[in-house]
Amino acid sequence: MAEEEKRTVQIALIGAGTVGSGVLRILAENAEIIARRALPLQLRWLSVRNKDRGQRILDELGFGETRLTTDWQEALADPATDIVVELIGGITPAREIISAALAAGKSVVTANKDLMALHGGELLQLAAAHQANLFFEASVCGGIPIIQALKENLAGNRFLEILGIVNGTTNYILTRMQESEADFAEALADAQALGYAEADPTADVEGDDAARKMAILSSIAFNSRVTYDMVSSEGIAGISRWDIRYAADFGYTIKMLGIARCDGEAVEVRVHPVMLRNSHPLATVRDAYNAVFVQGDALDKAMFYGRGAGGAPTGSAVVGDIIAAARDLARGCGSRWGCTCYRQLPVRHIDDTVSKYYIRVQVQDRVGVFASLAQALSAASVSMDSVMQKRKLPDGGSEIVIITHPSRHSNIRVALDLIARMECVREISEYIRVEDDAD
Amino acid sequence: MAEEEKRTVQIALIGAGTVGSGVLRILAENAEIIARRALPLQLRWLSVRNKDRGQRILDELGFGETRLTTDWQEALADPATDIVVELIGGITPAREIISAALAAGKSVVTANKDLMALHGGELLQLAAAHQANLFFEASVCGGIPIIQALKENLAGNRFLEILGIVNGTTNYILTRMQESEADFAEALADAQALGYAEADPTADVEGDDAARKMAILSSIAFNSRVTYDMVSSEGIAGISRWDIRYAADFGYTIKMLGIARCDGEAVEVRVHPVMLRNSHPLATVRDAYNAVFVQGDALDKAMFYGRGAGGAPTGSAVVGDIIAAARDLARGCGSRWGCTCYRQLPVRHIDDTVSKYYIRVQVQDRVGVFASLAQALSAASVSMDSVMQKRKLPDGGSEIVIITHPSRHSNIRVALDLIARMECVREISEYIRVEDDAD
């Protein structure tokens, strides 16, 4: 855009937590770059809970003209406010804030995955109805620009598959378990000490956080609304250093993966640990990094890698959305995307999904164990690829690992039930799906 | 956008080679997906050199209503043509086509790296002057949406560094050399047999192709125009299986890399082989895949990975740009970006760039060789990190590898000159820069 056409776009920022502070810092430090690349942005309003803290932040970063409030409605009521940036997270009052802003024809930028994974459809419809933009790049994988890619750059593709390492906490834990042979508990404590994991790590470790992100990504990729309650998830708390070691023996790396596929008839979305071939690009993603692997009919395979969390990387995505919305405002056009869910496909039940499985079992050391295991599997119509004894246990029992051929999860559940009831079986220690298509 | 507001956007496609055919196939096979996600696209014109071949393609893909011509001006003269897609490549007549289309206020999508790396600035100015879009995602790294990312999603960042594996041919050759211990010549023949390398591989092997892509990427990232003649490049033809092996001994992988950095004072852009730590994400990029590694002040580190060439992946990027341009047209706004080069920084001369270097030398086996090598280096004010004898040569000489501390290239050239003139030195077999900052 030629200089003379540039106007200053007025921003109202709601929330100054980790991400909000990251955004404020970027707007302060890179104000000139942003103005020259796109157009000038002015922070007109900052709405916070604690006014003193808010004032300290504004003073520190030199936002002398910014209006400070503890009432977000004041910021929205200002007719001069062009773009509302919601960064408080959660459902309430974020949903009200965004709805009110859109209803007033203002564009909205949010990093709120909880809200978008549950009410994204209705909010995008509302945005379209008012010719306003609703951008939410920061709601998935922090600094990685995957949503814009799916919505526009790659929109010529029929998407076949999305595989994502979309939770940095679990990827950090599994990396530690693999590289320092730590147990889950040690690796978790390590992650908590580094601030990668919450005091209550449930949402990360059990996969709820990842399920929200996969709901958003699969809704966009397959144009069929998936809310996070439709995403089945299993956690990593049961994975031991032995699973990591045995995976390595087979040439696999264990990753907490979001898997979304669409065959045109139904959508499949799930989050659980997976054994991936070491040669798969996702297997090389270490520590707290995130990555999304996309397969499209034209694109073939692509991967987007980066920081999935943190104030600055997530702030980078928020500011990118602000710039996109500002460019549209300056040209008098909004509602760039609206909701792209133009159909509603069923979500396949987890019981009907098919994978290869790794099963680790502790048995009493006696003749005929392999035979009875094989019998139990075939009784559940699960066909076995291989079974091997991995180690003698201190007390004389032994640990056995079974790899199955691709099997329906419902059959695997029956098989696990039969095996658990076998007299020679002490425990089923763990089962993990195996994804070993060539990369 | 609500259904009723949708209009059909009229496309004129100029050129039906590899990329053109890829685009035609996507427009045919995914017409409905694109219409539902964004808006309907109509292929109004196809301009080709060979009319019979063009007609066969249109018939095969079912483009019954498309007008076929061998005169691109006819397609541009049609007032109903909204978007002109230039896919013939090269400078002439591509430059005329794009200029004429923009001057007529039509939006343009191109995959032309030669043109954009040389005349990108003037064409983007022309687009802005006529409020038209000029998109060129497909000109760099085929299916990887890196340009949009730099121009918008990541535009809040001050970019520090861009490292790119932006040429699939050389990455394939180096992968073969590493994984099957092939010599350069064998790996090249292999690449040619698979269609990854041209009969005349010079542009790929010597780095000219990569230099064009890095010129485009660094102009965008650093907001300072870099044309490809400013990019210094060195090829991979001199790399032997020994360099690959010795690199592995040090924990390095050799990659043909584009490196662009900016310190605010000057821009540094170069293309040459590099020894990368195996732990660096780029070191894991195999075969003909491309990847761009970006470091920004807010983003931290990110990597974009995918197919860098081929009709379908490159076509995916072209269609993504068509969709973006069509969305703007439907909302009556163009010139989304214009030229973002708002300053002109000097490009640092290759002599003034600083790297660690690996130097492989063949010497006569005699006392004092190490001492005289060390002397030559310090005479050129190059300080040595390590020197080691790697192998005895069949005829009794031996091969020595030197690793230097970070040194100016001008000093390295002096050092190489001094070493070459040493009486005990038979040849300087190769030198390769070492990039081993932690990833």
Side-chain angles (χ1 to χ4, degrees):
Chain A
M1 211 171 338
E3 294 295 328
E4 66 275 8
E5 297 165 20
K6 288 190 177 181
R7 55 168 280 199
T8 298
V9 173
Q10 305 285 334
I11 314 293
L13 190 61
I14 318 297
T18 306
V19 177
S21 306
V23 170
L24 288 165
R25 184 163 295 282
I26 295 168
L27 292 177
E29 291 177 355
N30 293 346
E32 198 215 334
I33 294 181
I34 294 167
R36 302 295 298 277
R37 283 177 179 163
L39 66 180
L41 304 176
Q42 173 133 40
L43 183 67
R44 185 174 181 88
W45 286 96
L46 176 62
S47 173
V48 293
R49 262 183 311 213
N50 177 330
K51 206 157 186 173
D52 296 343
R53 186 168 163 282
Q55 192 57 60
R56 275 201 303 281
I57 296 175
L58 292 177
D59 295 344
E60 186 210 336
L61 295 172
F63 287 108
E65 295 163 18
T66 299
R67 297 152 178 76
L68 184 65
T69 179
T70 55
D71 172 16
W72 56 266
Q73 307 207 350
E74 198 183 354
L76 264 67
D78 180 350
T81 299
D82 296 309
I83 301 174
V84 174
V85 183
E86 180 279 307
L87 297 175
I88 58 176
I91 303 299
T92 311
R95 187 181 181 185
E96 289 170 70
I97 295 172
I98 293 177
S99 305
L102 293 173
K106 301 180 188 296
S107 282
V108 171
V109 173
T110 178
N112 192 325
K113 63 176 175 297
D114 301 35
L115 185 61
M116 292 307 293
L118 204 53
H119 302 292
E122 90 199 29
L123 293 172
L124 285 163
Q125 301 284 5
L126 185 63
H130 292 84
Q131 291 294 303
N133 278 319
L134 169 57
F135 292 144
F136 49 101
E137 186 65 74
S139 66
V140 178
C141 294
I144 304 174
I146 182 63
I147 290 177
Q148 160 103 46
L150 294 175
K151 284 255 187 185
E152 193 147 281
N153 309 101
L154 309 182
N157 286 264
R158 185 166 51 79
F159 295 109
L160 310 171
E161 175 180 78
I162 294 188
L163 302 180
I165 294 174
V166 296
N167 178 270
T169 308
T170 46
N171 200 58
Y172 178 83
I173 290 171
L174 290 171
T175 304
R176 284 282 67 70
M177 289 178 71
Q178 185 178 1
E179 296 182 2
S180 17
E181 297 209 324
D183 280 322
F184 172 78
E186 303 166 46
L188 171 59
D190 184 359
Q192 284 167 322
L194 284 163
Y196 288 147
E198 315 275 334
D200 173 2
T202 314
D204 292 318
V205 168
E206 294 306 315
D208 303 347
D209 172 81
R212 289 179 166 82
K213 294 165 182 169
M214 293 307 295
I216 294 171
L217 292 180
S218 44
S219 297
I220 296 169
F222 306 131
N223 306 106
S224 177
R225 179 61 51 189
V226 175
T227 53
Y228 93 94
D229 49 293
M230 303 176 189
V231 183
S232 132
S233 63
E234 298 170 22
I236 62 167
I239 293 176
S240 83
R241 53 150 56 107
W242 292 106
D243 300 307
I244 303 271
R245 184 175 304 178
Y246 298 155
D249 296 344
F250 295 118
Y252 295 130
T253 300
I254 299 179
K255 291 294 186 185
M256 177 67 155
L257 223 59
I259 298 179
R261 296 193 175 107
C262 184
D263 58 11
E265 303 302 314
V267 175
E268 195 176 300
V269 197
R270 44 200 166 100
V271 171
H272 50 65
V274 164
M275 290 191 179
L276 271 181
R277 272 210 188 291
N278 292 337
S279 57
H280 194 288
L282 286 171
T284 66
V285 176
R286 299 173 57 249
D287 295 336
Y289 278 95
N290 281 201
V292 180
F293 180 86
V294 179
Q295 191 165 3
D297 62 346
L299 176 69
D300 192 6
K301 303 178 169 83
M303 186 173 81
F304 301 74
Y305 165 101
R307 293 267 178 215
T314 309
S316 163
V318 170
V319 173
D321 279 352
I322 293 174
I323 289 171
R327 280 175 164 151
D328 279 355
L329 281 168
R331 270 197 259 57
C333 54
S335 186
R336 185 152 186 77
W337 294 327
C339 181
T340 49
C341 289
Y342 59 78
R343 59 181 179 179
Q344 190 56 57
L345 297 174
V347 173
R348 187 164 289 136
H349 190 281
I350 191 67
D351 275 349
D352 302 327
T353 61
V354 173
S355 303
K356 295 185 184 179
Y357 285 77
Y358 153 103
I359 304 169
R360 179 165 59 94
V361 190
Q362 292 194 1
V363 299
Q364 284 158 32
D365 223 354
R366 68 157 73 142
V367 185
V369 168
F370 279 27
S372 24
L373 284 171
Q375 205 168 20
L377 289 168
S378 67
S381 20
V382 170
S383 97
M384 193 162 69
D385 175 81
S386 56
V387 54
M388 62 218 81
Q389 176 170 324
K390 296 304 290 189
R391 61 172 176 142
K392 288 280 183 194
L393 298 168
D395 60 5
S398 62
E399 189 160 63
I400 285 177
V401 165
I402 300 163
I403 305 285
T404 75
H405 285 299
S407 316
R408 292 180 77 249
H409 185 65
S410 55
N411 294 345
I412 290 293
R413 288 204 293 103
V414 172
L416 293 173
D417 191 50
L418 291 173
I419 291 170
R421 287 203 259 97
M422 283 167 57
E423 192 229 329
C424 62
V425 169
R426 292 179 180 171
E427 68 161 40
I428 298 174
S429 308
E430 182 61 302
Y431 73 88
I432 301 172
R433 293 168 179 84
V434 177
E435 290 273 331
D436 62 0
D437 326 341
D439 62 313
Chain B
M1 218 172 335
E3 293 295 329
E4 66 276 5
E5 295 165 20
K6 288 190 178 182
R7 56 169 280 201
T8 298
V9 173
Q10 305 286 331
I11 314 292
L13 190 61
I14 317 296
T18 307
V19 177
S21 306
V23 170
L24 288 165
R25 185 164 295 281
I26 295 168
L27 292 178
E29 291 177 356
N30 293 347
E32 199 215 334
I33 295 180
I34 294 167
R36 301 296 295 278
R37 284 176 178 162
L39 67 179
L41 304 176
Q42 172 133 39
L43 183 67
R44 184 174 181 87
W45 286 96
L46 176 64
S47 174
V48 292
R49 262 182 312 213
N50 177 331
K51 207 159 185 172
D52 296 344
R53 185 169 164 282
Q55 192 58 60
R56 275 200 304 279
I57 296 174
L58 291 178
D59 295 344
E60 185 212 334
L61 295 173
F63 287 108
E65 295 163 18
T66 299
R67 298 153 178 77
L68 183 66
T69 179
T70 55
D71 173 16
W72 57 266
Q73 310 207 349
E74 198 182 353
L76 265 66
D78 180 348
T81 299
D82 296 308
I83 300 174
V84 174
V85 183
E86 181 279 309
L87 297 176
I88 58 176
I91 303 299
T92 310
R95 188 180 180 187
E96 290 169 69
I97 296 172
I98 293 176
S99 305
L102 293 172
K106 300 180 189 299
S107 282
V108 171
V109 173
T110 179
N112 194 325
K113 64 177 173 296
D114 301 33
L115 186 61
M116 292 308 292
L118 204 53
H119 302 291
E122 91 199 26
L123 293 172
L124 285 164
Q125 300 285 7
L126 185 63
H130 293 85
Q131 290 294 303
N133 279 319
L134 169 57
F135 291 144
F136 50 101
E137 186 66 73
S139 67
V140 177
C141 295
I144 305 174
I146 182 64
I147 290 177
Q148 161 102 52
L150 295 175
K151 284 254 186 185
E152 193 147 280
N153 309 102
L154 309 183
N157 286 263
R158 185 166 49 80
F159 295 109
L160 310 171
E161 174 180 77
I162 294 187
L163 303 179
I165 294 174
V166 296
N167 178 271
T169 308
T170 46
N171 200 56
Y172 178 84
I173 290 171
L174 290 171
T175 305
R176 284 282 69 67
M177 289 178 72
Q178 183 179 2
E179 295 182 2
S180 18
E181 298 210 322
D183 279 322
F184 173 78
E186 304 166 46
L188 171 59
D190 185 0
Q192 284 167 323
L194 285 164
Y196 288 148
E198 316 274 333
D200 174 2
T202 315
D204 292 317
V205 168
E206 294 306 316
D208 303 347
D209 172 81
R212 288 180 166 82
K213 294 164 181 168
M214 292 307 295
I216 293 170
L217 291 181
S218 44
S219 297
I220 296 168
F222 306 131
N223 306 104
S224 176
R225 177 63 50 190
V226 175
T227 54
Y228 93 93
D229 48 293
M230 303 175 188
V231 183
S232 135
S233 64
E234 300 169 20
I236 62 167
I239 293 175
S240 83
R241 53 149 58 107
W242 293 107
D243 299 309
I244 304 271
R245 186 175 303 177
Y246 299 156
D249 297 343
F250 295 119
Y252 295 131
T253 301
I254 299 178
K255 291 293 186 187
M256 177 67 154
L257 222 59
I259 298 178
R261 297 194 173 107
C262 182
D263 57 12
E265 301 302 314
V267 175
E268 195 176 301
V269 198
R270 45 201 166 100
V271 171
H272 50 66
V274 163
M275 290 191 180
L276 271 181
R277 273 213 187 289
N278 292 338
S279 57
H280 193 290
L282 286 170
T284 66
V285 176
R286 298 172 59 250
D287 294 338
Y289 278 95
N290 281 200
V292 180
F293 181 87
V294 179
Q295 192 165 2
D297 63 347
L299 176 69
D300 192 5
K301 301 177 169 84
M303 186 173 82
F304 301 74
Y305 165 101
R307 294 264 177 216
T314 310
S316 163
V318 170
V319 173
D321 279 351
I322 293 174
I323 290 171
R327 280 175 165 151
D328 280 355
L329 281 168
R331 271 195 260 62
C333 56
S335 185
R336 188 152 184 75
W337 295 328
C339 180
T340 49
C341 289
Y342 59 78
R343 59 183 179 178
Q344 190 56 58
L345 298 173
V347 173
R348 186 165 288 133
H349 190 282
I350 190 69
D351 276 349
D352 302 326
T353 61
V354 173
S355 302
K356 295 186 184 181
Y357 285 77
Y358 152 103
I359 305 169
R360 179 165 59 92
V361 191
Q362 292 195 1
V363 299
Q364 284 159 32
D365 223 354
R366 68 159 73 144
V367 186
V369 169
F370 279 27
S372 21
L373 284 171
Q375 206 169 18
L377 289 170
S378 65
S381 23
V382 171
S383 96
M384 195 160 70
D385 174 81
S386 58
V387 53
M388 62 219 82
Q389 177 170 326
K390 296 304 289 190
R391 61 172 178 141
K392 288 280 183 194
L393 298 167
D395 61 4
S398 62
E399 188 160 62
I400 286 177
V401 164
I402 301 163
I403 305 284
T404 76
H405 287 299
S407 314
R408 292 180 76 250
H409 186 64
S410 55
N411 294 344
I412 290 292
R413 289 204 292 101
V414 172
L416 292 173
D417 191 51
L418 291 172
I419 291 170
R421 288 203 258 94
M422 283 167 56
E423 192 228 330
C424 63
V425 169
R426 292 181 181 171
E427 68 161 38
I428 298 175
S429 307
E430 182 62 300
Y431 72 89
I432 301 172
R433 291 169 180 83
V434 178
E435 289 273 332
D436 62 1
D437 326 340
D439 62 314

